[in-house]
Amino acid sequence: MNYNRVVCFDLEMCCWNENGVGTTGEIIEVGLAEIDLTAGKIVKRAQYYVQPEQDKISEFCVELTGITPRKVAKQGRPLADVLRSMVKNFGGSKKIYACWGRDDLILAKECAQKGLPMPIHECINLATLYRLQHRLKDKRIGHRAAQEAQGIDWEGRQHSGYVDAYNLAKLALTMF
């Protein structure tokens, strides 16, 4: 296990808002940002679009994420291909991954449904770590709010996996 590097990642999924209730489906984007804890900086970033096998990208999803069906049709690849690229470029089981919430469980569930190996074996939920560090045991806090509470400017469009992973890496550097 490489304890000097942490790969922050964020997933975007097909999503719908029906009668005020949000639901999600298949993964359509994986954003990654790797931090070098020794150097204290972000050393690598990547964005992968995923072609959903069954779900369609809704207008609500386009408005929320900025990810269009056309973008995914042109740049997206099957999840299996994206996972291979992820492991090749960022490492799989030998790296520690981190996310805000339980994106690791979302990825594990979709991998299981599609018969794919789960590339992540160790994942830190930074939302839980943040709540413990700041004694917020009964209060939930979103990624952006936590980052801004630490005086770290948010950069880019929220709900882009690429942007969210980068911002998460900036916050993570203050937590480790």
Side-chain angles (χ1 to χ4, degrees):
M1 187 67 62
N2 184 341
Y3 291 98
N4 296 318
R5 299 279 181 112
V6 174
V7 180
C8 296
F9 78 102
D10 185 75
L11 305 175
E12 297 302 326
M13 288 81 63
C14 288
C15 52
W16 304 270
N17 185 356
E18 297 176 15
N19 301 322
V21 177
T23 57
T24 59
E26 290 178 278
I27 297 165
I28 55 173
E29 182 193 9
V30 179
L32 301 118
E34 185 170 337
I35 57 178
D36 181 324
L37 296 174
T38 305
K41 65 182 182 178
I42 299 166
V43 294
K44 190 185 319 184
R45 296 174 68 187
Q47 175 180 47
Y48 302 108
Y49 289 108
V50 181
Q51 293 173 337
E53 293 177 7
Q54 299 170 355
D55 291 337
K56 303 291 182 220
I57 299 172
S58 69
E59 188 58 40
F60 171 79
C61 191
V62 171
E63 289 174 22
L64 182 68
T65 67
I67 301 169
T68 64
R70 182 177 176 185
K71 185 177 287 187
V72 170
K74 289 180 80 173
Q75 299 177 37
R77 299 183 292 153
L79 182 60
D81 292 351
V82 167
L83 296 178
R84 277 191 290 277
S85 292
M86 216 173 110
V87 169
K88 178 182 174 198
N89 297 319
F90 289 87
S93 62
K94 297 198 182 332
K95 288 280 180 75
I96 297 169
Y97 283 74
C99 55
W100 191 268
R102 295 312 309 260
D103 281 10
D104 58 321
L105 296 182
I106 293 167
L107 181 60
K109 180 180 176 186
E110 192 162 330
C111 284
Q113 290 171 339
K114 295 180 176 179
L116 302 171
M118 174 63 170
I120 297 170
H121 295 257
E122 186 156 340
C123 188
I124 300 167
N125 179 344
L126 293 178
T128 298
L129 181 59
Y130 185 89
R131 286 174 58 204
L132 289 168
Q133 288 177 339
H134 296 276
R135 308 288 191 260
L136 301 172
K137 64 180 181 169
D138 296 324
K139 183 180 177 200
R140 293 178 54 98
I141 186 168
H143 169 199
R144 185 171 185 159
Q147 183 165 321
E148 290 173 348
Q150 296 307 111
I152 304 167
D153 290 336
W154 186 272
E155 294 180 50
R157 178 192 179 124
Q158 194 171 9
H159 301 298
S160 156
Y162 184 71
V163 169
D164 290 355
Y166 172 70
N167 281 298
L168 187 59
K170 291 189 333 181
L171 178 60
L173 282 168
T174 70
M175 297 173 70
F176 298 129

